[in-house]
Amino acid sequence: MNQDMTKGSPLKLILLFTLPLVIGNILQQMYQMADTYIVSQTLGVNAFAAVGSTHSINVLVLGLAIGLTSGLSVITAQRFGKKDEKAIRENLAASVIIAGAVSVVLTVLAVSFRRNILEFMNTPHELIGFANDYLTMMFIGLSGIVLFNLVSNLLRAIGNTKAPLVFLAIASVLNVVLDLAFILVFDMGVAGAGLATVIAQFISGLIGLVYIKRSVPLFRIHKEDWAAGMKQIKEHSAIAFPMGFQTSLIAIGMIVVSMTLNTLGPEAVAATTAAQKIDSLATKPLMAIGVTMATYTAQNYGADKLDRVWEGVQKVLKVTTIYSVVVGAILIFFGQYFALLFVGPENTEILEMTRLYFITNSAFYVLLSSLIVHRYTLQGLGKSTAPTLAGLFELFGRVGAVLLLSKSLGFVGVGLSNPIAWVGALFPLLGSYYALKRQLTGGKTIRPFKKLANVIK
């Protein structure tokens, strides 16, 4: 069912739209945690740490593809707000063309250079074989992951969050079943875990295509739409590629963090892997609200209802601030006990590191929530310069912090690199948001970082 977000209470619409996304994100994180749990319990700590060591590389490659599909859905949401069905079909055609081409190029590059990247990152000798096997399967099946995310994001652009949730539930169940089959029955090791993920998402993506064909006439592309889509590739690329690159910029910083962790030993890698699983679960609702804000903003921007955009941002920031404080406090005091899901109580050094990770990250969730809300709002408005600049600031902040602080503070210095990166990213985002709000409303708006705002505007 499509949802028009240009009418009704902004906060109520945003929260109702976010709820299925939160459920889906938590479901996705749970099956990823189940995936990791199966690996750790059947293949050992080194296999567990190896899969964790690939996280930044996955974000670099898969994040580019997934961020691209999110960008492709922005214009679709804007056209949906305008109620222009012909333009929506043309946008869909352009999205399919771009996503298909990017999938082929990324697959070839990622498969060809996966081992080189692992070696460049100084991946420990005892982990590199496992990590290479896992990445091989993930990258070979990259097109399936792109398909799944493209279908889901385009449906969300027209306000449909229930169907993507069902597709994700199917993928989750399939992934766990295939994990057990490939690892325990067929003895495929960590490669089986990667293969299970891509097959599950590919099948769910195909189910999504069938659903669109049968139930979403708005997305039924006509022959003439393909020609129009070719002409619109430039317009879509101007939004989609910067959104994809923003994720990759973040990933480059994460790779530097991973390289530093690798020098601190397998224990540091294992601790970060366990902590990040829990941290990711805790921040999924914030990410879901971000995705919602992109759709909500794009629809209202397309309908020329900017007052609703500003009202939505103001109210959502209050909700995310409260959430960040409460969840951050829970992880600071109890996070290390959650880490027992992945490492045994005898691994006291690893558990202590997870405690330090939560102290240095969860205390600053308020910064992260503000970053997410403003970034996705700007993206929904079709603005890519400030979010891309924020990605660069985040990259420089994370890399600079990890290289400098890890020498004096060790693992704690690595943990502090995230909040420092968030502070850096907030400068261009807040400056651009308030400058743009002033420009579009013509009113007197308080603008932090006034000089930077004028530059970005």
Side-chain angles (χ1 to χ4, degrees):
M1 179 179 178
N2 303 338
Q3 184 173 351
D4 186 348
M5 303 183 75
T6 63
K7 302 174 183 177
S9 167
L11 184 59
K12 182 179 179 181
L13 283 169
I14 290 169
L15 293 180
L16 288 176
F17 189 91
T18 300
L19 183 59
L21 293 177
V22 171
I23 296 172
N25 284 345
I26 292 177
L27 182 62
Q28 185 177 39
Q29 187 63 28
M30 292 299 289
Y31 89 68
Q32 289 176 349
M33 290 173 70
D35 189 51
T36 308
Y37 178 81
I38 293 169
V39 170
S40 65
Q41 296 301 309
T42 59
L43 302 175
V45 174
N46 279 346
F48 166 74
V51 172
S53 71
T54 67
H55 177 67
S56 56
I57 306 175
N58 272 322
V59 174
L60 176 66
V61 178
L62 302 182
L64 172 60
I66 295 171
L68 181 92
T69 64
S70 297
L72 291 172
S73 68
V74 168
I75 296 180
T76 300
Q78 292 176 354
R79 300 296 186 266
F80 183 76
K82 286 184 177 181
K83 307 298 187 292
D84 190 340
E85 295 187 5
K86 185 176 184 298
I88 290 174
R89 294 195 304 272
E90 294 171 352
N91 292 336
L92 182 61
S95 298
V96 171
I97 294 169
I98 294 172
V102 170
S103 294
V104 173
V105 173
L106 277 181
T107 298
V108 172
L109 292 175
V111 171
S112 299
F113 295 104
R114 67 195 186 285
R115 180 84 185 197
N116 304 81
I117 297 174
L118 287 169
E119 292 174 350
F120 174 76
M121 290 174 59
N122 298 318
T123 304
H125 175 73
E126 58 268 39
L127 306 183
I128 195 168
F130 290 123
N132 184 66
D133 291 344
Y134 183 76
L135 286 181
T136 299
M137 292 302 177
M138 291 293 292
F139 291 157
I140 287 176
L142 187 145
S143 60
I145 296 174
V146 172
L147 172 63
F148 173 80
N149 284 278
L150 180 64
V151 169
S152 298
N153 284 323
L154 289 173
L155 286 171
R156 293 185 187 113
I158 59 173
N160 187 334
T161 57
K162 293 182 180 179
L165 177 58
V166 173
F167 305 152
L168 183 56
I170 294 171
S172 301
V173 174
L174 277 175
N175 190 39
V176 173
V177 172
L178 292 175
D179 263 337
L180 294 171
F182 292 153
I183 294 176
L184 298 179
V185 179
F186 296 103
D187 196 26
M188 295 181 63
V190 292
L195 182 60
T197 298
V198 297
I199 289 179
Q201 296 211 12
F202 180 69
I203 291 175
S204 292
L206 291 179
I207 293 173
L209 289 180
V210 173
Y211 170 81
I212 286 174
K213 183 177 181 180
R214 294 182 177 179
S215 305
V216 190
L218 189 63
F219 279 177
R220 292 173 187 167
I221 304 175
H222 302 157
K223 184 177 181 180
E224 61 271 18
D225 295 328
W226 290 107
M230 289 294 294
K231 296 177 182 178
Q232 292 187 14
I233 287 179
K234 183 177 180 180
E235 179 186 7
H236 283 69
S237 298
I239 295 178
F241 279 100
M243 285 184 68
F245 288 138
Q246 288 159 33
T247 306
S248 294
L249 285 173
I250 296 171
I252 292 172
M254 293 171 65
I255 286 176
V256 176
V257 172
S258 295
M259 292 173 66
T260 304
L261 284 171
N262 288 336
T263 64
L264 296 177
E267 292 79 12
V269 177
T272 304
T273 300
Q276 284 180 341
K277 292 293 180 183
I278 300 163
D279 173 78
S280 180
L281 182 62
T283 56
K284 285 296 185 184
L286 296 177
M287 295 303 300
I289 286 180
V291 172
T292 298
M293 288 306 297
T295 300
Y296 171 83
T297 300
Q299 286 193 15
N300 282 281
Y301 178 68
D304 197 25
K305 296 183 177 181
L306 289 172
D307 286 345
R308 290 176 57 81
V309 174
W310 318 134
E311 181 183 355
V313 170
Q314 183 180 19
K315 291 183 176 179
V316 163
L317 283 173
K318 293 179 181 178
V319 173
T320 56
T321 297
I322 294 172
Y323 175 86
S324 299
V325 171
V326 172
V327 173
I330 291 173
L331 289 187
I332 289 173
F333 291 106
F334 304 106
Q336 63 177 325
Y337 301 109
F338 299 145
L340 289 171
L341 290 168
F342 306 104
V343 296
E346 71 279 3
N347 296 302
T348 55
E349 183 180 0
I350 294 176
L351 291 173
E352 173 60 16
M353 287 181 175
T354 61
R355 186 184 70 85
L356 294 174
Y357 182 96
F358 292 125
I359 290 175
T360 55
N361 279 258
S362 304
F364 301 96
Y365 278 168
V366 171
L367 298 176
L368 178 62
S369 65
S370 179
L371 183 160
I372 289 171
V373 171
H374 287 99
R375 171 178 278 158
Y376 278 92
T377 298
L378 288 169
Q379 290 172 344
L381 291 168
K383 306 301 178 182
S384 58
T385 302
T388 301
L389 188 60
L392 287 171
F393 276 49
E394 193 169 349
L395 169 63
F396 296 146
R398 181 170 284 112
V399 171
V402 76
L403 292 180
L404 293 175
L405 298 181
S406 64
K407 294 180 179 179
S408 57
L409 300 177
F411 186 81
V412 171
V414 175
L416 287 171
S417 65
N418 280 330
I420 290 173
W422 299 337
V423 171
L426 277 171
F427 275 86
L429 291 174
L430 292 177
S432 178
Y433 174 78
Y434 286 103
L436 186 62
K437 182 177 178 181
R438 179 183 176 89
Q439 176 186 355
L440 294 177
T441 60
K444 294 183 179 180
T445 304
I446 298 174
R447 291 179 296 167
F449 320 113
K450 184 175 180 180
K451 293 182 179 180
L452 178 60
N454 287 331
V455 171
I456 299 174
K457 184 175 75 170

